[in-house]
């Protein structure tokens, strides 16, 4: 007959699995990851090419504020993409391994039809492995709803990308909210993280997001 301690261990294991899969209770998604070198020079701003940077971006008291208008130009004269003001995390591009983006995000009321964070790089014709968008206050994986009622409050966002496993995980305040196969390519495809505001379909006239404590981490081997 099994001892009570064995059954206790099994119970704890089952509870841990349920917490992760169902989304009960917070965990630390950065456990087992190493924070990578990152400073202001790694955070490259992309904004509409026909206006000064400070008319679409500010950094005050540790908070990056990024905004764009639906009628704005793209970030380069030759680009055919929609308007954006984004932080492109540079110096931590990757093509293998398990990587993680962490940051605190605030989206004001009214911002809609916009990508606020992405894992860039995919098999053509797709350009991204993951996009987190906002539609009428709901955070979505592309058009799939993930978390409702995000307006007007700071959220801790963690996005884990397993390149070889072709998996992405989205955590909000330490709770796993979404898992997907993503749209990533095989090992060898270059990826990097971006955050800010990038107009999508059904975009609001004004779009804004704020970010602080941005980190990039890599899983220990």
């Amino acid at each position: 007959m099994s001892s009570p301690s064995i059954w206790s261990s099994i119970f704890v294991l089952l509870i841990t699995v349920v917490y992760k899969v169902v989304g009960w209770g917070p965990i630390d998604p950065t456990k087992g990851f190493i924070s990578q070198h990152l400073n202001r020079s790694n955070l490259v701003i992309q904004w509409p090419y026909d206006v000064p940077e400070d008319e679409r971006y500010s950094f005050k008291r540790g908070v990056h504020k990024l905004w764009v208008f639906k009628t704005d130009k793209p970030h380069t004269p030759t680009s055919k993409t929609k308007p954006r003001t984004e932080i492109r995390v540079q110096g931590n591009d990757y093509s293998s391994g398990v990587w993680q983006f962490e940051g605190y995000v605030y989206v004001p009321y009214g911002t809609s039809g916009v990508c606020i964070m992405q894992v860039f790089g995919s098999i053509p014709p797709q350009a991204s492995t993951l996009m987190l968008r906002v539609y009428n206050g709901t955070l979505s994986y592309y058009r799939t709803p993930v978390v409702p009622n995000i307006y007007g409050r700071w959220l801790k966002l963690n996005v884990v990308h397993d390149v070889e496993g072709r998996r992405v995980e989205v955590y909000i305040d330490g709770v796993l909210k979404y898992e997907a196969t993503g749209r990533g390519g095989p090992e060898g495809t270059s990826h990097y993280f971006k955050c800010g505001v990038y107009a999508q379909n059904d975009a609001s006239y004004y779009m804004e997001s704020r970010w602080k404590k941005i980190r990039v981490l890599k899983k220990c081997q």
Side-chain angles (χ1 to χ4, degrees), residues 9-152:
S9 298
I10 293 173
F11 177 76
V12 170
L13 177 61
L14 287 172
I15 289 296
T16 302
V17 171
V18 169
Y19 264 54
K20 181 177 181 183
V21 174
V22 178
W24 297 352
I27 65 169
D28 179 6
T30 68
K31 187 174 182 179
F33 285 75
I34 298 174
S35 186
Q36 304 298 295
H37 174 77
L38 200 68
N39 57 37
R40 285 293 306 282
S41 66
N42 298 110
L43 306 180
V44 178
I45 312 303
Q46 298 176 342
W47 73 96
Y49 71 84
D50 62 336
V51 296
E53 178 184 302
D54 61 5
E55 290 187 12
R56 296 294 184 271
Y57 167 81
S58 70
F59 181 70
K60 297 178 181 178
R61 295 182 290 277
V63 176
H64 304 269
K65 179 181 175 181
L66 307 100
W67 65 99
V68 75
F69 295 92
K70 185 177 181 179
T71 54
D72 275 338
K73 301 290 186 182
H75 64 295
T76 68
T78 57
S79 174
K80 304 299 182 182
T81 60
K82 294 182 179 181
R84 73 179 80 196
T85 304
E86 286 187 301
I87 295 172
R88 193 276 206 215
V89 181
Q90 187 169 274
N92 285 285
D93 295 13
Y94 60 94
S95 58
S96 63
V98 183
W99 290 74
Q100 183 170 171
F101 172 92
E102 179 180 87
Y104 290 79
V105 59
Y106 178 99
V107 180
Y109 289 89
T111 289
S112 187
V114 64
C115 172
I116 62 168
M117 187 269 166
Q118 60 176 308
V119 178
F120 192 83
S122 181
I123 300 173
Q126 305 295 337
S128 60
T129 293
L130 168 143
M131 269 195 176
L132 292 179
R133 302 179 183 177
V134 176
Y135 291 102
N136 299 316
T138 295
L139 183 69
S140 300
Y141 168 79
Y142 294 96
R143 292 305 298 256
T144 303
V146 175
V147 181
N149 305 317
I150 70 164
Y151 284 152

